[in-house]
Amino acid sequence: MRIDVITIFPGYLAPLREALLGRAISAGLVDLAVHDLRTWTRDVHQAVDDAPYGGGPGMVMRPQVWGEALDAVLALDERPARIVVPTPAGRPFTQATAQAWSGDERLLFTCGRYEGIDQRVVDDARRRDLTVDEVSIGDYVLVGGEVAVLVMVEAVVRLLPGVLGNPASAEQDSFSDGLLEGPAFTRPEVWRGLAVPDVLRSGNHAKIARWRRDRALERTAERRPDLLAALPEDALDDADRAF
Ligand SMILES: Nc1cc(-c2ccc3cc[nH]c3c2)n[nH]1
């Protein structure tokens, strides 16, 4: 997978080259290129923003600079790219989104700042039949798109074959079966007077699986009843319903 990121703060994306993601890049599983939007400015001040039409607070990012940047970065590789625009006004980015994008050949992230990017940049890309997804990583407002890109790239890249040491980790993720993950434990058996649940040390794998499923159902019902309500009819078996 090729990942391009366009931003006025390239340094914000440095964490993508650390740890697991850094190893995925070194292993050739991911090609990452971060581009400074100011490369495509033409004025001495390298202006990327201007006052909003219609008034209001803050500034809006200029379409000319973004248009040239997008055209140039898209042209760097012939593979079709999904253009991703992080915005509080976007469709929710979920584990299902990450799963879907993990099958893409190329992702191109555009990091807005100020009050966002002139809408015509998205409109122009869409009318050229480019895939453009405006997405939100949650119902809170950040100062720019860079942090959202860190989140989304990590969620997607960890799903690529060969990235996680144990692929089963991704298969047993929270949300992978529509439920939240239950609690996890490791040694010591007793820590500050708190013991690991006996069932987990029983060696009875059927009982352990049932216990884990019950804890996942319990946690989901308590913390995210919306996820429970959204489960497909056949997602819960009789044992689940008995819980
Ligand atoms: N989910 C979420 C996205 C954002 C976001 C994304 C881009 C920009 C550009 C300027 N402010 C931004 C905020 N906040 N929260």
Side-chain angles (χ1 to χ4, degrees), residues 86-88 112-116 135-145 148:
T87 167
R113 281 271 156 170
Y114 308 99
E115 299 305 311
V135 290
S136 165
I137 61 164
D139 293 342
Y140 41 81
V141 183
L142 302 169
V143 181

Side-chain angles (χ1 to χ4, degrees), residues 31-42:
D31 295 312
L32 173 69
V34 179
H35 312 274
D36 186 337
L37 177 69
R38 295 191 197 275
T39 304
W40 291 279
T41 57
R42 300 196 175 190

Side-chain angles (χ1 to χ4, degrees), residues 7 43 59 81 94 106 108-110 130 144 205 212-213 225 228:
T7 170
D43 61 309
M59 304 291 272
T94 66
R106 187 181 179 196
L108 194 168
F109 292 91
T110 63
L130 293 168
H205 296 294
R212 283 177 166 162
R213 178 79 173 173
L228 221 46

Side-chain angles (χ1 to χ4, degrees), residues 30-173:
V30 174
D31 295 312
L32 173 69
V34 179
H35 312 274
D36 186 337
L37 177 69
R38 295 191 197 275
T39 304
W40 291 279
T41 57
R42 300 196 175 190
D43 61 309
V44 67
H45 302 295
Q46 296 194 306
V48 293
D49 63 304
D50 202 340
Y53 273 113
M59 304 291 272
V60 175
M61 299 190 95
R62 303 171 62 210
Q64 307 96 318
V65 184
W66 270 108
E68 290 192 26
L70 263 180
D71 292 349
V73 172
L74 282 167
L76 294 174
D77 193 303
E78 81 284 348
R79 285 174 284 185
R82 178 190 303 271
I83 299 169
V84 179
V85 183
T87 167
R91 295 176 191 278
F93 175 82
T94 66
Q95 188 67 22
T97 317
Q99 197 67 48
W101 292 4
S102 66
D104 288 346
E105 291 182 274
R106 187 181 179 196
L107 297 174
L108 194 168
F109 292 91
T110 63
C111 298
R113 281 271 156 170
Y114 308 99
E115 299 305 311
I117 301 171
D118 186 301
Q119 188 62 37
R120 290 170 292 180
V121 175
V122 167
D123 298 345
D124 173 62
R126 286 190 174 136
R127 75 177 176 179
R128 291 156 54 192
D129 280 341
L130 293 168
T131 301
V132 184
D133 290 352
E134 295 172 272
V135 290
S136 165
I137 61 164
D139 293 342
Y140 41 81
V141 183
L142 302 169
V143 181
E146 288 80 6
V147 167
V149 171
L150 292 175
V151 166
M152 292 189 279
V153 168
E154 179 161 314
V156 171
V157 169
R158 68 183 287 276
L159 297 176
L160 298 179
V163 172
L164 285 181
N166 180 354
S169 301
E171 286 147 23
Q172 294 164 26
D173 273 342

Side-chain angles (χ1 to χ4, degrees), residues 175-196:
F175 312 105
S176 60
D177 57 1
L179 300 177
L180 301 182
E181 272 182 311
F185 303 86
T186 187
R187 288 179 294 187
E189 204 176 302
V190 180
W191 176 74
R192 293 188 179 178
L194 298 169
V196 171

